[in-house]
Amino acid sequence: MTRETLFNAVLGLGLFAFPLWAWWAEEPFMITLSTRVVILALAGVGLNLALGLGGLVSLGHAAFFGIGGYAMGILASHAQSYTPLMEFPFVIEGTKSMPVIWLVAVVASALAALVIGALSLRTSGVYFIMITLAFGQMLFYFAISWPAYGGEDGLSIYVRNSFPGLNTLDPIQFFLICYAILGAVLLLSARLAASPFGLALNAARQTSERVETVGIRPYRLRLTVFVISGMITGLAGALFADLNRFVSPSMLSWQTSGEIMVFVILGGVARLFGPVAGALLFILLEHVLGGLSEYWHIYLGLLLLGVVLFARGGVIGTLAGQGGKHG
Amino acid sequence: MAEPILSVTKINKSFGALKASIDVSLDLRVGEIHALIGPNGAGKSTLIKQIAGGLQPDSGTVRFLGRDVTALDTVQRAQMGLGRTFQISALAMEDSVLQNVMLGALGASGRPFRFLRPVLKDKALRETAETALARVGLSEQALMRTSDLSHGQRRQLEVAVALTMRPRAFVMDEPMAGLGTSGSQRLTRFLDELRHEAPILLVEHDMDAVFALADRISVLVYGSVIATGTVDEIRAHPEVRRAYLGEEE
Ligand SMILES: Nc1ncnc2c1ncn2[C@@H]1O[C@H](COP(=O)(O)OP(=O)(O)OP(=O)(O)O)[C@@H](O)[C@H]1O
Ligand SMILES: [Mg+2]
């Protein structure tokens, strides 16, 4: 067991044990806080595949986070008002079922990522960052100017959506759902990194020319990982909206894109558990420093500066040392 | 005579006012090593790029395995079986040596879009990769990080990656550069055998290697091929001696 695996195990178990303790101690707010960490970590795991493994610096992942959020908001709001989404040419009803909502969120995010990726990946470097940012902003303004779904005010859902066999209104049960999803996605993402596809993508990040020379198209590799990445972040968006029972254009804002990227960078780019460590640290800082000062982002900024200048491997790189990337 | 495996016909390429390829024609036949020599900046690498696909000629054609491949890109030419090594190593430096050769084997397999099984456990790929490493003498370094290899070992790894593709023709841009005497001699012996698997277009500054290996030599000066011939013909060619080998006697 390497130090990194050990660290990951401690992190994973800690993130499980803490809300269990909170449940026992009857501190529901702490459970909600933990759920937030888990969901934001999931969004980061999505971005980390594109950013860490693929080298794709996307500043537009809020698009997928928000699409996931709106998938939940739109479906659930139609269900709670008993009005179908559309009646022609066929009827589509809203739904309060989480699995269905997740499926819609993932498919919608995949489609968006396919379109955004197909266009953005024709560029690279700074242009790629700008184009992904521009797409994110387009969706943001679209959501603001779409009164049917709340416009600027967003959409509220009265009751959390349901999952067969569980009571999602119980904070600990909803936490467990999110935790299980994060675990499954981490497992998949480790497998992906070690797979033939992961090998090729990882090489394409380092030397595109080499990958072409062995007869593999880097563009296809990147588009594929961009779509997978968008799907995961979209799923996180649906869960996030369900956690808050609320979705608004702010989920689509570029600040959200920036925050997701902060999770990844704080925790350690290309480290399997990087986004988990990053999201945890972020929420911890928000909770602790946010209580002391409204301007806690200044300290976050300083920390980020420190990581970028002195500790490129982020929390995980610093605590667990070099080597063993992504799984 | 059978059609050559690879041929370029009247290739021209300019970078602004600089003419890097002027009416260049040459071919590569079954079983041969065709060396391409010429002073620094003569346009050798530029020609290699046009053959391998990274650079589009302004005019002229490139044919490979009986097909006009001028309009095809690097990936398509690689898939057809063109194996290339770079003058400046293009390797995944953060990855292990083994991973780099696995990448070549993966490319050759044509199935990179597999997502769940660990690539290092793929027996077929692994065998191809390990055989290639063994052939260039890098087996012991398989698990090293590529950035920790010496310059010479990286050159060997470049060749190993090309081997994993089992190409129909090799195009090698200065594989001996920086290898040192024993390294060059070793690679010379290796290429000598390799030509029977697939012919080699060899750009090389190491004249001992070129004279030892080449069936034919083409001399490129300021973008033009000024002579093509056997080792003896090139040694004796007055213009070549003046332009390129001048100081040697
Ligand atoms: N992309 C480019 N844009 C402009 N000029 C270029 C470009 N690529 C090459 N050149 C120029 O074309 C000429 C030929 O370069 P090339 O690299 O082909 O030479 P070479 O024969 O491989 O030299 P060496 O032996 O040093 O490797 C040089 O003058 C080089 O500066
Ligand atoms: Mg050159």
Side-chain angles (χ1 to χ4, degrees):
Chain A
M1 206 194 244
T2 66
R3 260 173 78 184
E4 183 166 344
T5 341
L6 187 68
F7 181 85
N8 292 350
V10 169
L11 194 59
L13 286 176
L15 200 51
F16 186 68
F18 179 73
L20 281 189
W21 165 83
W23 177 57
W24 173 79
E26 296 185 20
E27 296 262 14
F29 177 69
M30 288 297 157
I31 303 180
T32 302
L33 212 57
S34 310
T35 312
R36 221 174 127 82
V37 170
V38 167
I39 294 173
L40 294 179
L42 182 64
V45 171
L47 177 63
N48 200 24
L49 281 179
L51 180 65
L53 202 58
L56 308 173
V57 186
S58 161
L59 203 49
H61 261 51
F64 312 122
F65 197 61
I67 285 173
Y70 271 95
M72 129 54 195
I74 291 172
L75 288 170
S77 70
H78 280 279
Q80 75 186 7
S81 65
Y82 300 103
T83 49
L85 262 86
M86 56 184 241
E87 298 181 60
F88 184 83
F90 43 85
V91 179
I92 298 183
E93 302 279 357
T95 175
K96 297 281 289 176
S97 156
M98 280 190 188
V100 177
I101 288 171
W102 297 342
L103 187 69
V104 173
V106 165
V107 170
S109 307
L111 289 175
L114 189 64
V115 173
I116 295 177
L119 296 168
S120 313
L121 286 168
R122 300 190 182 279
T123 65
S124 59
V126 155
Y127 298 99
F128 180 79
I129 301 178
M130 287 299 130
I131 292 196
T132 50
L133 177 65
F135 274 113
Q137 289 301 90
M138 269 168 56
L139 284 174
F140 173 71
Y141 285 109
F142 180 72
I144 281 192
S145 56
W146 199 13
Y149 293 114
E152 234 171 312
D153 300 331
L155 275 172
S156 284
I157 304 303
Y158 308 135
V159 184
R160 185 170 288 149
N161 296 301
S162 59
F163 188 90
L166 292 175
N167 173 14
T168 56
L169 300 181
D170 178 4
I172 194 71
Q173 296 196 34
F174 184 59
F175 168 83
L176 289 174
I177 292 175
C178 297
Y179 188 84
I181 291 179
L182 176 65
V185 170
L186 280 172
L187 202 72
L188 283 178
S189 129
R191 288 213 139 200
L192 190 78
S195 72
F197 173 79
L199 178 79
L201 180 68
N202 195 31
R205 176 173 51 79
Q206 300 169 61
T207 161
S208 223
E209 211 173 17
R210 159 59 61 205
V211 173
E212 287 176 30
T213 308
V214 301
I216 302 174
R217 266 178 222 293
Y219 178 83
R220 286 196 195 156
L221 299 170
R222 293 185 182 127
L223 185 56
T224 306
V225 82
F226 195 75
V227 170
I228 297 174
S229 163
M231 284 159 65
I232 296 172
T233 302
L235 179 59
L239 293 171
F240 192 72
D242 231 327
L243 174 69
N244 303 324
R245 277 167 253 164
F246 176 64
V247 50
S248 77
S250 79
M251 274 184 79
L252 288 159
S253 71
W254 65 269
Q255 286 91 335
T256 301
S257 292
E259 277 180 12
I260 300 175
M261 194 176 291
V262 167
F263 307 149
V264 176
I265 293 174
L266 266 188
V269 176
R271 306 288 179 147
L272 183 62
F273 273 63
V276 183
L280 177 63
L281 191 59
F282 186 92
I283 297 295
L284 220 57
L285 287 174
E286 186 181 51
H287 190 65
V288 174
L289 296 177
L292 300 177
S293 154
E294 234 183 289
Y295 304 110
W296 71 276
H297 279 102
I298 296 178
Y299 300 102
L300 175 70
L302 284 175
L303 183 68
L304 206 56
L305 210 62
V307 166
V308 172
L309 289 177
F310 306 113
R312 281 290 177 84
V315 175
I316 302 219
T318 309
L319 295 182
Q322 288 303 308
K325 286 225 208 156
H326 236 301
Chain B
M1 157 141 226
E3 186 176 7
I5 299 273
L6 180 71
S7 65
V8 299
T9 315
K10 292 198 168 280
I11 287 264
N12 284 282
K13 182 75 197 177
S14 305
F15 297 115
L18 180 85
K19 291 193 159 74
S21 303
I22 304 168
D23 276 337
V24 175
S25 298
L26 54 81
D27 60 22
L28 184 65
R29 299 172 192 152
V30 179
E32 79 167 343
I33 292 181
H34 188 154
L36 182 64
I37 63 173
N40 290 114
K44 304 181 295 293
S45 295
T46 303
L47 183 63
I48 295 294
K49 278 179 205 144
Q50 294 173 88
I51 292 173
L55 194 66
Q56 198 60 31
D58 298 335
S59 66
T61 55
V62 180
R63 294 180 66 79
F64 180 45
L65 303 177
R67 243 177 99 183
D68 183 344
V69 297
T70 321
L72 302 189
D73 63 15
T74 308
V75 172
Q76 290 164 313
R77 294 184 206 191
Q79 285 169 348
M80 283 179 69
L82 195 63
R84 176 194 186 186
T85 70
F86 291 87
Q87 179 173 4
I88 297 163
S89 296
L91 299 164
M93 288 295 172
E94 295 172 13
D95 290 356
S96 70
V97 170
L98 180 63
Q99 281 172 315
N100 271 282
V101 263
M102 292 289 287
L103 177 71
L106 180 63
S109 80
R111 294 167 53 229
F113 286 89
R114 286 178 289 148
F115 300 90
L116 293 176
R117 285 231 334 262
V119 66
L120 292 178
K121 296 215 170 111
D122 185 315
K123 285 221 180 74
L125 294 186
R126 185 122 184 190
E127 199 176 299
T128 312
E130 280 170 352
T131 309
L133 282 184
R135 289 184 72 187
V136 302
L138 277 181
S139 293
E140 310 232 314
Q141 285 76 22
L143 297 179
M144 272 172 77
R145 200 179 146 101
T146 304
S147 57
D148 292 338
L149 291 184
S150 71
H151 177 80
Q153 288 169 327
R154 289 181 199 175
R155 309 299 308 162
Q156 287 167 277
L157 181 53
E158 277 276 328
V159 175
V161 177
L163 287 177
T164 59
M165 312 216 15
R166 295 187 214 283
R168 300 291 305 276
F170 288 97
V171 177
M172 299 188 176
D173 199 350
E174 300 198 28
M176 319 250 176
L179 267 191
T181 323
S182 68
S184 293
Q185 282 168 355
R186 208 197 130 107
L187 190 57
T188 302
R189 283 194 299 274
F190 182 70
L191 296 185
D192 201 11
E193 293 300 317
L194 189 62
R195 82 177 89 194
H196 302 299
E197 283 171 40
I200 306 168
L201 181 63
L202 178 70
V203 173
E204 195 44 70
H205 276 301
D206 181 336
M207 282 306 144
D208 292 336
V210 167
F211 288 142
L213 285 172
D215 297 292
R216 287 186 299 155
I217 301 175
S218 288
V219 186
L220 197 66
V221 177
Y222 292 122
S224 301
V225 176
I226 60 167
T228 296
T230 62
V231 172
D232 291 335
E233 284 164 0
I234 293 299
R235 275 189 203 267
H237 198 290
E239 217 179 319
V240 173
R241 293 173 72 132
R242 193 155 22 89
Y244 187 50
L245 300 170
E247 311 91 44
E248 282 219 340
E249 325 258 305

